Amino acid sequence: MTSRTDRQVLRTRNTILGFVIVVAILVIGYGTFYSTGGTPGEIVAGDHYTLVDNPPRKRAGEPIVVHEYFSYACIHCRDFEPLVSDWKQDLPEGATFDRSPVIFSPIWGILAQSYYALESLGALDANHDRLFRAIHDSGRQFLTPDMVADFVDGNGTTKAEFLRAFESAEVRRATRDAERRQREVKINSVPTLVVGEKYVVNMDPGRKAALAIADHLIGLELTPSGTDAGNATP
């Protein structure tokens, strides 16, 4: 009787152990997939990207622009920055990269307008990472243009230059254009990649996977047909 009970306990223990091992393998596999950005099988509309409604027609010779919709206030955008900065260095000929700051609140609007002010002054490179670090590492808040101006003073520009650029018609127009693009593409979270103002990349599989999807979509747009005949229809 004792021997039979022992065998039953052993079988039960082995069954439980086997189940735990299977679950562990699945969890590790998913974690590896997410961190490495793997995208199993075909990249298809609806799963890996969505199509923008009524995208603008691309003119012959125009580059394919990959927009990263982002905000300095977004911690995920800060984490994505090193990856996307490396990735954009290897874009194929005929494709370019641009950032498009989003406006989800008045404070984010100040940050978006600051982005274009710094860009117009040639001071963006000197302050781009600094702004991310100040907000997310040091807990600094930028509630007014003056607060941003104080922060960038002496880093590629001066406070007075920054404030003049911030209020300029050129910078205001660039900020309005960014907000218009944001509405047209229906951006509701950041970071988000949009390829050719036509494809919105699904960021859920992971940041590296999103870049792989973007590479695929760039390839589609660089083909003579410029369409994904097999997968473009959701």
Side-chain angles (χ1 to χ4, degrees), residues 52 55-56 58 63-67 194-199 218 221:
V52 175
K58 181 178 174 294
I64 298 157
V65 180
V66 180
H67 279 102
V194 177
V195 177
E197 298 185 84
K198 183 176 179 181
Y199 308 99
I218 292 168
E221 288 298 289

Side-chain angles (χ1 to χ4, degrees), residues 68-82 84 99-105 107-109 111-112 128-137 140-142 187-193 203 207:
E68 180 206 359
Y69 289 83
F70 87 106
S71 173
Y72 288 118
C74 165
I75 182 62
H76 302 295
C77 300
R78 178 263 176 88
D79 294 341
F80 190 40
E81 180 62 25
V84 77
R99 295 183 180 89
S100 192
V102 301
I103 300 175
F104 290 158
S105 72
I107 300 302
W108 285 38
L111 294 172
H128 186 67
D129 289 336
R130 289 184 72 240
L131 282 164
F132 273 129
R133 292 197 304 270
I135 293 170
H136 300 291
D137 295 350
R140 191 159 179 170
Q141 292 185 310
F142 297 102
I187 298 297
N188 53 29
S189 64
V190 287
T192 294
L193 295 175
M203 305 297 288
R207 293 186 290 268

Side-chain angles (χ1 to χ4, degrees), residues 42-45 49 51 198-199 216-217 220-221 223 225-233:
E42 289 185 307
I43 294 176
V44 295
Y49 63 91
L51 295 169
K198 183 176 179 181
Y199 308 99
H216 172 78
L217 297 172
L220 294 182
E221 288 298 289
T223 59
S225 65
T227 59
D228 185 358
N231 298 328
T233 302

Side-chain angles (χ1 to χ4, degrees), residues 86-220:
D86 288 342
W87 171 82
K88 70 178 184 177
Q89 304 302 321
D90 296 321
L91 284 174
E93 185 178 353
T96 62
F97 174 83
D98 197 9
R99 295 183 180 89
S100 192
V102 301
I103 300 175
F104 290 158
S105 72
I107 300 302
W108 285 38
I110 290 172
L111 294 172
Q113 198 161 327
S114 296
Y115 173 88
Y116 287 114
L118 291 168
E119 185 177 56
S120 72
L121 293 165
L124 186 59
D125 287 346
N127 292 283
H128 186 67
D129 289 336
R130 289 184 72 240
L131 282 164
F132 273 129
R133 292 197 304 270
I135 293 170
H136 300 291
D137 295 350
S138 303
R140 191 159 179 170
Q141 292 185 310
F142 297 102
L143 307 179
T144 65
D146 269 354
M147 295 175 76
V148 182
D150 287 333
F151 178 73
V152 302
D153 186 35
N155 288 275
T157 187
T158 66
K159 179 176 181 176
E161 288 173 342
F162 173 83
L163 289 174
R164 280 196 298 271
F166 187 90
E167 297 296 342
S168 69
E170 174 192 1
V171 166
R172 288 179 176 273
R173 182 169 55 253
T175 307
R176 288 195 301 270
D177 288 346
E179 190 170 19
R180 173 185 53 77
R181 284 194 303 272
Q182 171 190 331
R183 291 194 305 269
E184 289 175 350
V185 182
K186 300 178 181 177
I187 298 297
N188 53 29
S189 64
V190 287
T192 294
L193 295 175
V194 177
V195 177
E197 298 185 84
K198 183 176 179 181
Y199 308 99
V200 181
V201 174
N202 182 2
M203 305 297 288
D204 290 343
R207 293 186 290 268
K208 290 184 179 179
L211 294 173
I213 295 167
D215 283 334
H216 172 78
L217 297 172
I218 292 168
L220 294 182

Side-chain angles (χ1 to χ4, degrees), residues 28-38 83 205-209:
I28 292 171
Y30 178 79
T32 301
F33 163 72
Y34 188 89
S35 62
T36 59
L83 283 176
R207 293 186 290 268
K208 290 184 179 179

